[in-house]
């Protein structure tokens, strides 16, 4: 088994062990774009840990021909609802996988807000700043994202 595959499988197992006891409260999909024009399409699940803390698992894949860049990560979000807004701030870690190029780890900070549209649908808008540490060096930059969430 290739090194990248082993890392991805290990990360998925660890992520599953961490979030399996929790129940997803929000499932969503979104689109993000960075300043260079790279588009990232993703899915996410937010799980409530307490009144003010959520845990997020997310997966994003680029739509351009970049060797299959995929971001797989988890984050912890602190939030405080002011209906219909629910602003949040958080940080996370993950993996960046590319076929043929390199595998790397990511560290990210994010901030955004969820906006209740109508039950059970909400929208989200966020800014993620992602730092990627890989075999080819350190890369960093913002990702602007938006999407829809379904409350379960």
């Amino acid at each position: 088994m290739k090194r990248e595959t082993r890392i991805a499988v290990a990360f998925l197992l660890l992520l599953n062990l961490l979030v399996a006891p929790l129940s997803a409260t929000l499932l969503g999909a979104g689109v993000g774009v960075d300043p260079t024009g790279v588009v990232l399409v993703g899915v996410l699940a937010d799980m409530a840990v307490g009144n003010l803390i959520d845990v997020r698992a997310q997966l994003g894949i680029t739509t351009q021909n970049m060797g299959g860049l995929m971001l797989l990560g988890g984050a912890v979000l602190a939030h405080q609802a002011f209906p219909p807004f629910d602003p949040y701030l958080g940080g996370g870690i993950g993996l960046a996988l590319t076929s043929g190029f390199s595998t790397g780890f990511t560290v990210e900070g994010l901030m955004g807000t969820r906006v209740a549209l109508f039950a059970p649908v909400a929208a989200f808008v966020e800014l993620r700043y992602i730092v990627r540490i890989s075999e080819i060096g350190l890369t960093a930059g913002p990702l602007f994202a938006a999407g829809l969430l379904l409350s379960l």
Side-chain angles (χ1 to χ4, degrees), residues 2-3 42 49 80 98 111 136:
K2 291 173 69 175
R3 180 177 176 260
V49 177
Q80 175 63 56
T98 59
M111 63 184 288
I136 59 171

Side-chain angles (χ1 to χ4, degrees), residues 7 15 17-18 34 64 66 82 84 98 137 148:
I7 291 171
L15 191 60
L17 289 173
L18 293 174
D34 80 357
Q64 284 90 349
M66 292 188 58
F82 302 100
T98 59
L148 294 175

Side-chain angles (χ1 to χ4, degrees), residues 84-134:
F85 301 100
D86 187 7
Y88 55 87
L89 181 66
I93 59 171
L95 292 175
L97 306 171
T98 59
S99 61
F101 293 108
S102 66
T103 301
F105 293 95
T106 62
V107 177
E108 72 175 280
L110 63 149
M111 63 184 288
T113 189
R114 297 180 274 236
V115 181
L117 300 176
F118 54 88
V121 177
F124 72 91
V125 179
E126 67 185 18
L127 169 63
R128 297 168 58 189
Y129 194 85
I130 302 171
V131 177
R132 178 179 170 208
I133 305 137
S134 69

Side-chain angles (χ1 to χ4, degrees), residues 1-10:
M1 189 183 297
K2 291 173 69 175
R3 180 177 176 260
E4 292 85 2
T5 306
R6 287 193 306 266
I7 291 171
V9 169

